[in-house]
């Protein structure tokens, strides 16, 4: 059984997807981490992110593995390394390339094959798993998303203003929403939830209730 959670950065989908998987006893797939792994490899190999053919080639050579909460690329642990602002920026560039997406979509379908999973990203309900059992699309207003990101970066001691973050968010949203292949958008049959004024537990309660209701409807 597949549950998809899509939405923009800062909508709370990562926390929600992880928490929902735990509550349901499902596996969890962070597909954004996969695009970040490709971006990290591109930077590591000093490939120009604008060179599409070279980036696609890197994506084919990047072996990504998840082990508990750890992320590995060709057996090197990159869990923290893929969260830097530089990787974040390059990830949104490489995610525009159809060849990269094709490769990662294949891996995502493979990872979900035959198991119960909550898969989180931008295109999980629209492109990767159009027949998913339950689809969610999480949104939050940009100011709230910037505030969450600011708190995260403060905890890591990074010097940046809320205004700068807001600016980056608008730029990334634009790139994610306007790309030709698999743009960020809600599937027609996704349930949209605005998390701006909800706590983590309130979001989780809503998600869990929806999935359990559908599961119980199956047996009636
Ligand atoms: O969710 P995130 O910030 O870790 O995602 C990193 C980048 O990858 C972001 O620019 C959007 C992109 N992405 C995507 O295009 N498709 C996905 N399924 C997941 C992420």
């Amino acid at each position: 059984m597949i549950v998809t959670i899509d939405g923009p950065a800062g909508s709370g989908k990562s926390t929600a997807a992880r928490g929902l998987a735990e509550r349901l006893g499902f596996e969890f797939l962070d597909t954004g981490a996969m695009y970040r792994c490709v971006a990290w490899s591109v930077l590591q190999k000093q490939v120009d992110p604008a060179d599409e053919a070279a980036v696609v080639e890197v994506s084919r050579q990047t072996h990504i593995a998840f082990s508990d909460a750890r992320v590995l690329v060709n057996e090197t642990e990159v869990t923290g390394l893929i969260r830097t602002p530089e990787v974040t920026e390059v990830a949104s560039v490489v995610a525009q390339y159809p060849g990269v997406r094709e490769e990662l979509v294949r891996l995502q379908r493979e990872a979900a094959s035959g198991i119960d999973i909550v898969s989180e990203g931008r295109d999980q309900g629209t492109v990767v798993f159009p027949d998913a059992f339950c689809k969610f699309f999480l949104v939050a207003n940009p100011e709230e998303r910037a505030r969450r990101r600011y708190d995260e970066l403060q905890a890591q001691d990074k010097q940046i203003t809320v205004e700068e973050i807001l600016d980056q968010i608008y730029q990334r949203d634009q790139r994610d929403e306007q790309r030709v292949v698999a743009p960020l958008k809600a599937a027609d049959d996704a349930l949209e939830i605005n998390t701006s004024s909800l706590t983590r537990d309130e979001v989780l309660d809503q998600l869990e209730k929806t999935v359990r209701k559908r599961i119980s409807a199956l047996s009636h």
Side-chain angles (χ1 to χ4, degrees):
M1 183 175 291
I2 296 171
V3 175
T4 59
I5 303 188
D6 292 304
S11 59
K13 71 184 157 33
S14 290
T15 314
R18 222 176 268 276
L20 180 65
E22 202 171 294
R23 285 193 183 190
L24 296 171
F26 283 20
E27 294 295 322
F28 161 67
L29 184 64
D30 174 357
T31 63
M34 299 170 84
Y35 287 92
R36 288 172 179 275
C37 285
V38 173
W40 179 82
S41 289
V42 163
L43 289 166
Q44 182 80 356
K45 291 176 194 273
Q46 302 187 338
V47 165
D48 177 4
D51 184 343
E52 181 169 352
V55 170
V56 171
E57 193 46 41
V58 170
S59 75
R60 294 194 179 127
Q61 291 162 4
T62 305
H63 180 260
I64 303 165
F66 294 96
S67 165
D68 299 321
R70 295 160 67 231
V71 188
L72 306 168
V73 168
N74 299 334
E75 279 154 46
T76 300
E77 176 163 6
V78 297
T79 318
L81 302 177
I82 60 169
R83 302 286 159 195
T84 64
E86 201 185 6
V87 171
T88 302
E89 189 56 32
V90 173
S92 99
V93 175
V94 306
Q96 298 179 94
Y97 299 146
V100 172
R101 301 202 71 86
E102 202 178 295
E103 186 61 21
L104 295 188
V105 166
R106 188 180 61 76
L107 294 175
Q108 289 157 19
R109 290 186 179 139
E110 236 172 67
S113 163
I115 61 168
D116 292 327
I117 196 164
V118 177
S119 192
E120 173 244 309
R122 303 289 189 289
D123 59 346
Q124 301 301 288
T126 47
V127 173
V128 187
F129 304 113
D131 300 325
F133 177 70
C134 205
K135 300 178 185 178
F136 297 101
F137 194 80
L138 266 46
V139 294
N141 61 47
E143 289 73 20
E144 176 59 21
R145 291 162 56 203
R147 200 192 54 72
R148 289 175 184 164
R149 184 78 187 128
Y150 179 76
D151 289 348
E152 241 174 66
L153 292 173
Q154 284 296 100
Q156 296 169 24
D157 249 3
K158 299 259 162 51
Q159 300 297 317
I160 190 162
T161 66
V162 177
E163 289 69 33
E164 283 168 330
I165 296 174
L166 201 52
D167 201 45
Q168 287 173 3
I169 283 180
Y170 281 126
Q171 279 182 31
R172 278 221 289 158
D173 277 0
Q174 214 178 23
R175 213 180 286 152
D176 286 343
E177 285 163 9
Q178 293 179 355
R179 69 169 170 246
V180 181
V181 189
L184 169 67
K185 75 171 168 73
D188 291 339
D189 52 349
L191 176 67
E192 187 167 311
I193 300 175
N194 189 321
T195 67
S196 299
S197 56
L198 299 176
T199 65
R200 174 186 175 276
D201 280 341
E202 285 169 340
V203 174
L204 278 175
D205 289 346
Q206 247 192 69
L207 298 174
E208 185 184 4
K209 208 166 97 193
T210 307
V211 177
R212 292 207 186 277
K213 220 157 119 187
R214 289 211 190 161
I215 292 175
S216 82
L218 279 180
S219 53
H220 290 110

